[in-house]
């Protein structure tokens, strides 16, 4: 990930199969006129491409691509495997995923397939190959998207017979012998020993919680099945096309390893719905939710831009950008005027090469009929389109956007997320929540952040590396961090587990050069928490630390226990801080690291990209800072060189 | 529905099969002595009428009817089809309804049958015919009740194989060809196209929400199945009896179309449990719930009286009136003294021909042992009996009660209720909730209201017609409303959908003579909502309106957007008002319509019937108005001519 | 239960199969050195004793027992039947319990067997007999434990085919004829009559609630199945061993009759997790939960000590004592320093012969890896060990602890608990909650309490007997209470039901010598409740009483209704008092009974044992009383003779 100069572009998602052919050319012209240059199509069209098994109808897609291309648009062609047609169930009655209660997840919406079903995987490769053969050399098809939003609607985990069979083979491949598995999982506990791999069931419907090692293995297996499913499509496409391949990830869906899947892709894209996400998947109190109801959380999108820039090894798009109210959250308010523009610019400031709006035109029927588009159902312009057009104009003026490494790295690890989910140890605790607390504190201090996978070993660009809650720290990662020039913010729960999800001996965190031992764990209710001497509290998860003579205690709990410990370049946090404490403690570490920080109010955020600083006002009121005032939904780009 | 003079009567529900024969005559005498003249029997007695298949025991019922009749009581005879005996399951093992999770709803309480099961329907007709043959000419059997509380315990929707088969045939009958169905539902979306009707499954257990058109069709089908089941019984009875046929509906059960079922009946009756309903199915905050805990909601009963008067085309009874504490709500307080009398009089003021208490005597065993009767389990009088006796005395003094059309009409449409349930677009939104908000505002202004079905076309009697939330407005209804002499209060969401649940083009509301377009929809959290210029707020569901030059904006949101628009006789409300706003806006429209309104405190309500105004104090404190004071639970009847 | 002088001892739970053999001797020595003299082993080791069907490996257990014994420890040997190995499922595929939704409760944790499965019961007896044969005469095996925590994880009730078959036979044995059952249950209601026992299903998945008599019978049956399962093990052990047999019950698990099961045991033991229980099963507001988060509820442990002392007919142990944070509650805080000692002493003050910590050493893997032990996972001492060691030292100094009857008896009846669960009549009402309200009031007044089963007839030792909520009062119990020298605190709901769960005629409570009738029942929301004249409120469940001329009303509700009535030695409480009212009313009754009371603040508790009074400060702050100050977690033993 080196410095690059991007010329960001805009796009949209379009469904020619939903509209009369007569309309296509007009739509294509209007897209281009609005300043859009990319259009994604096809990802739900299987039933129209192959209405009966083997009966292929590609003519309409030929024409659609030609029409769009003729208007100067570049096409992202999706494989339609998220929505297998109804006839597929008759060919593969056991292809349905089963939920944790053992119920089939039936036809009638989307994503009803089990990733472990061999028959369906073969069908998915077949339709992908047919598309790749036909369009692999098409000059207008400039990129490919595999499937759609893997994992959405809780679809990574399936408890089907196909998954059960595949899990047994996966275990066999991983552990070699059943004795090794029994040993690795600690099955001696509660007489859970297996005599053969064929005795292993999936970890659902147990009387009380299953062995966490069993659950962790199942989650790793389930993630691998998604990666394997995707890889088969990627390989089929690459046989026939040199165009880049991408997938559209979702916000805060962490059930499979996005880095592992991303390794097979050329670009990582994601679907950004700030208002839906605020209602649906940001942990926040009522006041925060009300304050940002029409703007979205000020940090949630930025986090994901940074995450997917890492997943895409520097290449990131927003494939679906919310353009107005959506239909699927508990509440679906309309955005504050200006927010569509703001969201777009924030993506660009974080390195997005393309921001593509979902969808071109609101569809008047079926599940998403209440989901806004750039056009209304009657074809008139919706408010989002004017904002998109404004961004297009501004982009033309702004010129290239440089990207560069940020001074701060934050490690995000899916495996750690699963381990926390399996053993939260306190109601409401989650890995994402802890990492996001640190991310928000860094960002409130005006810092730009790079997210890294746990496989990162080169930290030479950074002054600060944060790895809170990283449950398992491989030896070489620990040593790489210890050797880094940067300060390393670790804890709580960094290094808390072995690779098999057990408590390591010697006790955690066992980080090289850090003479600290977690003697005991405490998970009190998050509120009121335990006071810190310097202000704020810790709650949810607190570690009682024993510290060696070289370790300096930088901060203590009111009861005298160490709360933040320093040794060498390690800064070890003994608990989950509240927002105030997180900001204060992170500020101090940044100062030590020589990082210059700002003090931003809750609604104001910024990002440095190359020589420019981008400012964003997420508040519904004007915000004053540094002698200037940014209006609601305001965006300001200033020279920061 | 013309002006009628009623001589209201009282009754009760009785179960001779629960008590020794020796007690029957004494009970009958006591009923008559208390001033009751009707008694309903038999609706759960199948196991005692036919203890083994084909082995009929009607002798006890003969005697019970004779005994009751001898005391001067008129009998409502129920068909016992809500409680098929245990042996029925052996004859029809697949007759059980399945819930949405696919689980059988088993024997051991009641209503365990699936409306779509042909075998059970034949059995139901068989026992009905046997009863009709035997008692059709019995002079004491003065009315028939079909089944009991259709839809109670969430029993309208069944996901059984029988329902699945029947639904496919229903779809075929409605749409003709599978292509027409695919087109109507918009199955091109997400590759949901079917190749034949036999591919259609019921819309449960899908991965994410099913197509709303699919769900709407299933709800219409399910309602039709109830109507069909009931009609078969009605036809069997009419072959042998000229007595009126009725059914006892429940409060706020809207899963089937009561108007459609009512078209086959002579009288609509309902079961009124004000305290149970307040705890169980009125949306209210804690303060309201505490204030009316022993009195019931001041508007809920009135709403249902008005609704069922419409369902019965003018003829309405309360078949089961709560006489004391019940057993089935989350909390089961005893009524404030006087409330049994108040509830009875309120029913009468709304046109009830009969108010029948449930039940005569509290049963000491089985599921309803904690449900009060007019007698205690030991046969002593419970407090409710004295109040019933008082009403009987008062009725004798009061003479005929006149009924007449109200000046205000409110359209209530079950199909709209289903469409809202399928697409609430905001957590907690419901059609009933919106309509009830308007109803409560009208009633707090002292107005009497007629409820009408969406099939109504003659509005000549009314000065104001309210049709909020009426999702689909058929063309001829729209024109009839536009031509009415009355003002029409529409919106939000009136005309929001086509007959198939899609967004119409041109955009909603598309009402004739109203130049207003819903450009966008906003569903913020209900609290705090968006302020109105004149006071109060709108929340939950707000429509951004574009208005034509002829449309006058009567009220705006604080952000300037139109909140109430007038054109011709249309008054279009752009959102869901809170209680204060609803009252204020409705007051203004009433003034325009020339309707005289009162300003009633929350606990005081009234209704005009013929030349009398009936006043009711739902509060636990005395209420002063117009120079008079009404005690808690007070009823006042005054000459209003 | 006569006065006894105990020499209480300490112990721990140990799993030799989890650790290398080389470690066993060292662990044993360390246990003994810490002052522990008992060690429980074996209760989850089936898979290591019999890894394949019939292939027995007892050598390691021989060695473990010998090693522990050689260190001077006495062994409690557990039967491993709570964790049948994986191969058992292949031999008995239908042995799994089914939950109320009909889903199998699968292998992968523990307690997955159905108590009614004959095949599994035979296997359980087989392994038990093998253990008894081998170790029945072993000098180190000084006690036996059957299974582990019957009923934990909601495992008493199973809806399996095996349970269904057994329930039919149980019904036949109880009722003799199906007509008798129909009559007893009142199946005439809703046509629920059965024609034969083979028609009876289990009371799950019914459309609305099943017949409460049906549910009550199923709960009695389910309890009997646990007792029967346990008895088969007891009999197998007694054939070969004279050592006492015990079982480890859990806190607030009331699904089976502990007294009935205890009748087959020699000692009752229980597993005491004060912090886990506070989060998981004590009803309390947030303030109480926060205040005692690190100490546990001040009365919950005492209640169970008293309960299990009764279940064990005077002999009671704590088999598992929380020694630090646990892993299984919603939140898992670390105990306040000193609480492990306090909990231990409180058990001893209540008559515990042994307090055994769970577990010796924290295991680094599997489900309980986050559950503290006396040693940390790395073998270092955890804080709990020092406190245990301190108690051991103190015990040596303190000498014998006398136990004696308390002056107050409280009846606790499992059958009543089931009847309340089936018919709470108000959301959140429970028998345990009501009884615990009275227990807490008594204890806050400084009183020591004996708990008695409903089978008690000798009350000669007591001045006050409390029997609130005792749904069914057998005739001879009623007479025994009426004849007692003590005052009897009854109500609400004492005598409210017949033996079959119906309302008795004449109406409740029908207690001899008490001329009071429950005319009606009122179950308002618990808050704010109905005010009492003397302060405090009643809520949840209030009975409207009719009182005879001999009955004196001692307290009234603000509306004038009787709230506490006296006649002879009866004191009948007409409702569920809040904490303030409970304390005030109980204080008055105690004064009448000649019981001396104290006024203890919320965190301070005491118990008289023989000539000593034990004081406990559950607060995190010092508490001053009677001129002295007790520090947080303080324990004080004073001469009270």
């Amino acid at each position: 990930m080196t410095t690059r100069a991007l010329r960001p572009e805009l796009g949209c998602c379009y469904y020619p199969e939903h509209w009369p052919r007569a309309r296509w050319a007009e739509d294509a012209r209007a897209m281009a006129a609005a300043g859009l240059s990319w259009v994604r199509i096809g990802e739900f069209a299987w039933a129209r491409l192959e209405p009966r098994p083997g009966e292929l109808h590609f003519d309409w897609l030929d024409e659609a691509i030609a029409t769009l291309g003729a208007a100067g648009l570049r096409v992202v062609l999706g494989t339609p495997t998220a929505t297998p047609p109804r006839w597929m169930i008759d060919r593969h009655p056991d292809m349905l995923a089963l939920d944790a209660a053992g119920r089939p997840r039936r036809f009638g919406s989307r994503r009803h397939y089990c990733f472990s079903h061999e028959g369906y995987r073969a069908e998915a490769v077949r339709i992908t190959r047919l598309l790749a053969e036909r369009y692999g050399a098409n000059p207008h098809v400039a990129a490919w998207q595999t499937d759609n939003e893997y994992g959405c609607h809780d679809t990574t985990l399936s408890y089907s017979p196909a998954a059960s069979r595949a899990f047994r083979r996966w275990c066999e491949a991983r552990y070699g012998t059943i004795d090794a598995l029994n040993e690795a999982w600690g099955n001696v506990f509660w007489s859970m020993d297996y005599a053969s791999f064929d005795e292993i069931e999936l970890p659902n419907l147990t009387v009380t919680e299953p062995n966490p090692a069993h659950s962790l293995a199942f989650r790793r297996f389930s993630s691998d099945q998604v990666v394997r499913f995707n890889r088969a499509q990627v390989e089929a496409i690459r046989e026939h096309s040199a165009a880049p391949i991408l997938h559209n990830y979702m916000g805060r869906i962490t059930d499979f390893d996005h880095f592992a899947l991303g390794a097979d892709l050329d670009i990582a894209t994601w679907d950004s719905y700030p208002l839906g996400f605020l209602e649906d998947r940001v942990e926040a109190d009522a006041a925060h939710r009300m304050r940002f109801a029409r703007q979205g959380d000020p940090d949630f999108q930025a986090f994901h831009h940074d995450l997917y820039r890492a997943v895409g090894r520097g290449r990131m798009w927003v494939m679906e950008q919310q353009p107005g109210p959506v239909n699927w959250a508990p509440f679906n308010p309309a955005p504050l005027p200006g927010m569509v523009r703001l969201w777009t610019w924030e993506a660009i400031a974080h390195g997005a090469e393309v921001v593509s709006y979902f969808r071109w035109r609101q569809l008047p029927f079926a599940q998403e009929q209440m989901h806004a588009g750039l056009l209304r159902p009657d074809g008139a312009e919706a408010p989002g389109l004017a904002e998109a057009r404004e961004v297009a104009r501004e982009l033309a003026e702004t010129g290239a956007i440089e990207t560069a490494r940020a001074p701060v790295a934050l490690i995000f690890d899916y495996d750690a997320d699963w381990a926390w989910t399996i053993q939260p140890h306190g109601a409401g605790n989650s890995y994402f929540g802890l990492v996001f607390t640190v991310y928000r504190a860094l960002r409130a201090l005006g810092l730009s952040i790079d997210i890294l996978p746990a496989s990162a070993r080169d930290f030479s660009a950074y002054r600060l590396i944060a790895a809170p809650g990283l449950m398992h720290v491989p030896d070489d990662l620990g040593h790489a961090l210890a050797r880094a020039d940067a300060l390393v913010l670790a804890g709580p729960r960094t290094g808390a587990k072995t690779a098999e999800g057990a408590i390591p001996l010697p006790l955690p965190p066992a980080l090289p050069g850090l003479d600290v031992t977690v003697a005991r764990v405490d998970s009190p209710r998050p509120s009121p928490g335990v006071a810190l001497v310097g202000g704020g509290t810790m709650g949810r998860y607190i570690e009682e630390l024993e510290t060696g003579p070289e370790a300096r205690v930088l901060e203590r709990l009111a009861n005298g226990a160490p709360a933040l410990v320093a040794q060498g370049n390690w800064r070890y946090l003994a608990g989950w801080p509240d927002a105030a404490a997180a900001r204060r403690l992170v500020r101090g570490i940044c100062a030590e690291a020589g990082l210059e920080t700002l003090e931003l109010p809750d609604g104001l955020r910024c990002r440095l990209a190359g020589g420019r600083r981008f400012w964003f006002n997420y508040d519904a009121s004007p915000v004053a800072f540094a002698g200037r005032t940014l209006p609601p939904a305001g965006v300001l780009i200033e020279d920061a060189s």
Side-chain angles (χ1 to χ4, degrees), chain A:
Chain A
M1 203 189 309
T2 54
T3 303
R4 302 164 58 208
L6 302 177
R7 291 269 175 190
E9 299 180 282
L10 304 181
C12 69
C13 301
Y14 187 57
Y15 299 88
E17 69 272 28
H18 295 168
W19 305 102
R21 294 198 184 196
R23 174 88 197 187
W24 297 351
E26 181 186 340
D27 279 332
R29 275 192 304 272
M31 291 175 199
L36 312 184
S37 46
W38 287 88
V39 59
R40 185 193 64 180
I41 63 171
E43 85 277 13
F44 298 126
W46 198 334
R48 294 295 161 110
L49 293 171
E50 190 179 13
R52 272 158 295 276
E55 183 185 317
L56 299 168
H57 293 255
F58 283 179
D59 55 313
W60 68 266
L61 185 56
D62 297 346
E63 181 181 335
I65 292 172
T67 305
L68 294 162
L73 297 160
R74 271 159 293 156
V75 169
V76 180
L77 183 57
T79 69
T81 51
T83 49
R86 175 62 181 82
W87 52 256
M88 191 70 75
I89 315 294
D90 291 330
R91 283 165 73 97
H92 304 286
D94 59 348
M95 67 167 277
L96 298 179
L98 298 194
D99 69 16
R103 295 173 302 203
R105 308 193 69 182
R106 304 200 323 185
F107 181 84
S109 61
R110 59 180 186 173
R111 303 211 57 72
H112 43 281
Y113 66 88
C114 173
F115 282 103
S116 294
H117 192 273
E118 302 282 347
Y120 181 63
R121 188 158 53 213
E123 300 269 9
V125 169
R126 182 179 61 78
I127 191 71
T128 299
R129 181 169 292 124
L130 287 168
L131 286 163
E133 285 168 359
R134 190 171 190 100
Y135 301 108
N138 186 307
H140 304 308
V141 174
W144 294 84
Q145 175 184 298
T146 54
D147 204 277
N148 181 76
E149 294 175 353
Y150 288 133
C152 196
H153 316 305
D154 195 17
T155 51
T156 298
L157 306 181
S158 166
Y159 298 86
S160 71
S164 184
R165 285 190 302 270
F167 181 54
R168 289 167 175 181
R169 299 293 73 82
W170 184 93
C171 287
E172 194 163 15
R174 180 177 175 95
Y175 297 101
T177 69
I178 196 65
D179 287 347
L181 178 145
N182 284 328
E183 175 74 17
W185 291 6
N187 281 336
V188 61
F189 186 77
W190 288 354
S191 277
M192 296 181 297
D193 290 311
Y194 299 105
S196 85
F197 287 102
D198 288 331
E199 287 184 351
I200 302 172
E201 304 284 353
L202 302 182
N204 62 322
L205 293 175
T206 53
V207 174
T208 181
E209 57 167 337
N211 191 329
H214 186 180
S215 296
L216 186 58
F218 177 61
R219 286 186 159 266
R220 287 168 174 172
F221 154 79
S222 298
S223 177
D224 285 358
Q225 296 299 91
V226 180
V227 172
R228 184 181 168 197
F229 182 90
N230 183 70
R231 185 175 298 143
Q233 292 198 17
V234 167
E235 288 168 355
I237 296 168
R238 291 217 198 281
E239 286 174 27
H240 302 282
S241 175
I245 303 174
L246 52 86
H247 174 74
N248 59 330
Y249 300 92
M250 263 303 255
R252 200 175 177 175
I253 289 208
T254 55
D255 286 339
F256 67 96
D257 187 336
H258 295 188
F259 291 111
L261 191 131
D264 293 321
L265 303 175
D266 300 298
I267 304 168
T269 81
W270 78 290
D271 297 347
S272 179
Y273 293 95
L275 304 193
F277 291 150
L278 177 69
E279 284 295 345
D280 202 43
R281 52 195 83 174
V282 174
E283 281 134 12
D285 60 19
H288 184 89
R289 235 180 261 285
M290 287 307 305
R291 179 172 178 185
F292 296 108
R294 298 184 181 283
Q295 304 102 280
D297 182 273
D299 298 306
F300 193 84
Q301 290 72 248
F303 179 90
H304 284 85
H305 295 322
D306 290 341
L307 171 64
Y308 290 116
R309 200 174 63 247
V311 168
R313 301 179 304 286
R315 300 200 62 186
M316 184 268 291
W317 296 14
V318 173
M319 182 52 89
E320 302 182 9
Q321 172 62 58
Q322 178 169 359
V326 297
N327 65 304
W328 47 264
F331 297 97
N332 297 293
L336 189 73
M339 287 310 299
V340 173
R341 171 174 170 260
L342 184 152
W343 296 329
T344 308
W345 270 110
E346 177 139 71
I348 291 164
H350 283 77
E353 302 177 9
V354 175
V355 177
S356 161
Y357 301 94
F358 182 88
R359 56 183 61 218
W360 173 245
R361 179 171 171 182
Q362 183 174 348
L363 193 64
F365 50 79
Q367 280 92 330
E368 290 182 351
Q369 60 181 260
M370 304 290 282
H371 188 306
L374 293 175
L375 301 190
R376 306 191 320 202
D378 62 355
E381 291 196 8
L385 184 55
E387 298 193 24
R389 197 183 280 121
E390 186 178 353
V391 176
R393 262 196 312 270
E394 291 170 330
L395 274 173
E397 295 165 10
T398 308
I401 309 290
E402 284 179 28
T403 66
R405 286 208 173 173
V408 178
L410 176 70
I411 295 178
F412 188 80
D413 182 40
Y414 292 87
D415 202 77
D417 181 89
W418 310 331
W420 276 80
T421 299
I422 294 165
Q423 294 194 303
H425 205 60
N429 291 357
S430 74
Y431 175 66
F432 185 94
L434 174 65
V435 170
F436 195 59
T437 296
V438 172
Y439 183 89
R440 197 193 285 286
L442 288 163
R443 201 160 132 85
L445 294 164
L447 293 165
S448 299
I449 299 136
D450 282 347
I451 289 181
L452 301 181
S455 59
R457 295 295 178 271
D458 174 10
F459 303 106
S460 55
Y462 302 105
R463 293 205 187 163
L464 174 63
I465 308 157
L470 185 64
M471 280 281 212
H472 175 60
V473 177
D475 278 353
D476 57 343
L477 174 58
H479 286 289
L481 290 169
R483 280 193 311 264
D485 293 329
L487 292 187
V488 181
L489 172 58
R493 236 178 176 180
T494 302
K497 299 284 177 180
T498 69
E500 290 296 329
I503 297 175
L505 298 177
L507 289 179
L511 297 168
L514 176 62
D515 192 5
V516 159
T517 300
V518 176
R520 191 158 70 163
V521 158
D522 183 51
S523 68
R525 289 179 170 265
S527 174
V530 180
L532 288 161
V533 167
T537 69
M538 281 179 169
R540 295 194 169 279
Y541 199 91
I542 301 176
E543 297 171 334
E544 297 182 20
L545 300 186
E546 290 173 354
T547 56
E550 305 295 310
R552 288 173 296 129
V553 177
L554 300 185
E555 171 74 7
R556 292 190 184 274
L557 292 167
N559 63 16
L564 179 64
V565 175
Q567 186 174 351
N569 65 332
W570 294 106
R571 297 297 175 270
Y572 192 89
L573 200 54
W576 188 317
D578 66 10
R583 189 156 172 173
R584 182 172 62 79
L585 298 173
V586 169
R587 183 193 296 125
I589 296 169
C590 288
E592 275 196 89
L595 287 164
E596 207 172 324
T597 55
L598 304 169
E599 294 297 328
L600 303 185
D602 279 357
L604 183 67
R605 291 294 183 261
C606 68
R607 183 170 160 88
L608 269 175
R612 292 190 183 105
R613 187 180 293 269
F614 292 76
W615 293 91
F616 305 101
N617 181 14
Y618 271 88
D619 248 320
S621 321
V623 63
F625 67 102
R628 288 161 303 182
T629 297
L630 210 51
V635 175
L636 177 70
I637 308 175
E638 67 175 8
D639 192 343
S641 54

